[in-house]
Amino acid sequence: HYRQLLRDSADASYRLANQERFPELRLSVGMRRYQSTGDNALVLGAALPLPLFDRNQVARLESQGQQQAAMRRAELSMTRGNSRLEQLTKELAMAQEQLVVLDKQVLPATLQSLVIAEASYKAGKTGLSDWLDAKRLWREASERRLSAALSLQETAANIEREFGVQN
């Protein structure tokens, strides 16, 4: 939207400067009273300035430069926007993959390890430290899963906010 406004503004400025190189015809109409005779007369006039030396070349060149600069800024902005969208899309895919690995492999494995360590501790086969280590690993995996889910939601929100694209 902003890029289009910049281009439209530069185009309008260029068209205006281009039109101002042509002289403007001025017509005039009036009444004149002659005091010596008391007569009234209709007076018509026309004026057409001839641009022999100034054909608005400076303004035309300046607005043409502004138009080209606006187009370059719009292209640069579009390129930056595309690369930012590509970066955010990659981040979104990585967060999704991380979440899938945590949900399907890491969390079930740490939970199973915790269950085995607890049963082993209750049976007196292992010490308390083994059960606490298994519980710590499961908690860390759960925290990583929450962090990955948060990262996924933040990246999706960034894409929606910056580009209006819902995932």
Side-chain angles (χ1 to χ4, degrees), residues 5-159:
L5 288 174
L6 285 176
R7 274 189 262 163
D8 291 347
S9 173
D11 287 343
S13 175
Y14 179 71
R15 284 194 308 273
L16 177 64
N18 208 22
Q19 286 297 321
E20 287 177 348
R21 70 184 175 153
F22 299 112
E24 185 176 316
L25 177 64
R26 293 186 190 129
L27 300 174
S28 59
V29 178
M31 294 295 292
R32 181 171 184 178
R33 179 172 175 80
Y34 292 100
Q35 290 182 359
S36 59
T37 62
D39 291 335
N40 290 327
L42 179 65
V43 178
L44 299 174
L48 184 65
L50 296 176
L52 297 177
F53 301 106
D54 180 22
R55 292 182 304 206
N56 206 26
Q57 288 178 338
V58 173
R60 286 176 40 221
L61 290 174
E62 186 177 298
S63 65
Q64 187 176 19
Q66 289 173 352
Q67 182 183 31
Q68 291 171 351
M71 290 179 70
R72 283 192 298 272
R73 280 192 304 269
E75 289 170 5
L76 180 62
S77 177
M78 186 178 299
T79 301
R80 285 181 182 160
N82 288 342
S83 64
R84 175 74 174 142
L85 180 60
E86 186 177 311
Q87 174 193 0
L88 287 173
T89 304
K90 286 179 183 177
E91 288 178 19
L92 186 69
M94 286 180 8
Q96 287 172 332
E97 288 175 22
Q98 184 180 17
L99 201 57
V100 167
V101 167
L102 286 167
D103 282 341
K104 299 218 184 247
Q105 295 173 3
V106 176
L107 278 174
T110 57
L111 182 59
Q112 183 181 10
S113 175
L114 177 61
V115 168
I116 292 171
E118 186 175 3
S120 179
Y121 172 69
K122 286 181 179 178
K125 294 181 182 178
T126 59
L128 181 62
S129 65
D130 292 334
W131 179 72
L132 291 174
D133 283 342
K135 189 165 186 153
R136 180 183 49 79
L137 289 174
W138 177 79
R139 190 184 71 248
E140 287 173 356
S142 296
E143 288 173 357
R144 282 199 315 264
R145 196 252 180 240
L146 290 174
S147 178
L150 178 63
S151 175
L152 178 73
Q153 292 301 317
E154 286 176 339
T155 304
N158 285 338
I159 290 173

